[in-house]
Amino acid sequence: MLKNRAAVLTLLGVLLISNVVLLAFLIGTNASSEGDVALGRAAPRDATIGLPEIKAGSVLAANQWPDACAFVGQEEIKAIFPGVKDIAQESRPVNAVSIKDFAADSSWKESDRSAAGQCLYSMRLPGETYSATQFWFRIEAVADPELIVRYADRVAPGTNTNQGARGADRCVITGLAEGSWTCRKGPLLFTVGGQTTVAFEGKPAPAPFVWRDEVLPEFVRTVSAKIT
């Protein structure tokens, strides 16, 4: 009986040691595979987005907004994400009418809708098996810069910080969970957001916070460079 008990205890000890070794191996493997995606820096191309002349106090109708996808090109994405693959983009419409305007006049107007006011990008970063990383850019308003300042203060409350305003006049974090930034630059009010599944090289913070604090400001710089 004692011999059987000793044999069982010995077997349990061997299994416990094996599990500890296996766990250590898995942790070591995961640690070496995480945080190996390089993060680059914005390299805006030498191009500006042409906007019509906007008079003092005037608002540019949504159907005259530029194509949102013109603000960020594939080469600019590659500068921020070295090693990125399978970049795709899709234009999406934006309705710019407010509920107050809708209540005053609910009839459909072409001037209230931009056919390409938002651009959604999907891509695959190293370590992803499919295009799990997404970035989006949306135009919120185009107007006289002084009007944009007052409008942004009213419709884009959030944490005011210079961290995201790389090239923009001002940016606020509009959502801590999703990590989006709403920024203004001259006559343009815009929002950038997105998500990824990867961890970045040399960045100990969780991926969503690195995305918010390190990645999106590079896109802000890219977009802001198009507005002079």
Side-chain angles (χ1 to χ4, degrees):
M1 181 68 68
L2 293 176
K3 289 184 178 180
N4 291 339
R5 182 178 297 177
V8 170
L9 291 175
T10 300
L11 178 60
L12 290 175
V14 171
L15 292 175
L16 179 60
I17 293 173
S18 299
N19 288 335
V20 170
V21 172
L22 178 59
L23 180 60
F25 172 77
L26 291 175
I27 292 175
T29 302
N30 288 338
S32 64
S33 64
E34 291 178 355
D36 56 356
V37 177
L39 180 59
R41 289 290 178 263
R45 63 185 187 274
D46 186 18
T48 58
I49 302 298
L51 293 172
E53 182 180 353
I54 304 174
K55 297 180 180 179
S58 297
V59 178
L60 187 66
N63 65 334
Q64 298 180 49
W65 290 357
D67 185 343
C69 289
F71 284 84
V72 181
Q74 291 199 9
E75 292 303 315
E76 292 166 314
I77 292 176
K78 291 177 181 178
I80 298 171
F81 295 134
V84 66
K85 295 181 179 180
D86 304 333
I87 302 173
Q89 65 186 47
E90 177 186 354
S91 295
R92 292 188 174 182
V94 169
N95 293 315
V97 62
S98 69
I99 191 168
K100 183 178 180 180
D101 293 335
F102 179 80
D105 184 359
S106 61
S107 61
W108 184 85
K109 302 182 188 63
E110 184 180 1
S111 60
D112 291 333
R113 185 176 187 272
S114 170
Q118 177 168 323
C119 193
L120 175 64
Y121 301 81
S122 62
M123 61 205 77
R124 181 167 60 90
L125 295 183
E128 292 180 326
T129 56
Y130 64 99
S131 297
T133 295
Q134 291 187 329
F135 161 73
W136 54 264
F137 164 71
R138 182 176 65 241
I139 299 173
E140 304 290 353
V142 183
D144 165 38
E146 292 187 7
L147 180 58
I148 285 289
V149 171
R150 302 198 306 272
Y151 180 66
D153 289 343
R154 176 67 63 87
V155 304
T159 304
N160 182 17
T161 172
N162 291 327
Q163 184 175 6
R166 297 183 182 173
D169 296 329
R170 182 175 184 264
C171 288
V172 296
I173 301 175
T174 54
L176 294 177
E178 65 273 17
S180 59
W181 292 88
T182 295
C183 306
R184 58 175 172 81
K185 172 68 181 294
L188 179 70
L189 181 67
F190 63 93
T191 301
V192 294
Q195 61 185 10
T196 189
T197 65
V198 305
F200 293 98
E201 185 180 56
K203 307 295 180 182
F209 294 101
V210 176
W211 180 269
R212 184 193 68 192
D213 299 336
E214 304 276 352
V215 175
L216 288 180
E218 297 301 327
F219 281 108
V220 171
R221 177 180 293 169
T222 299
V223 172
S224 298
K226 306 298 187 303
I227 303 298
T228 57

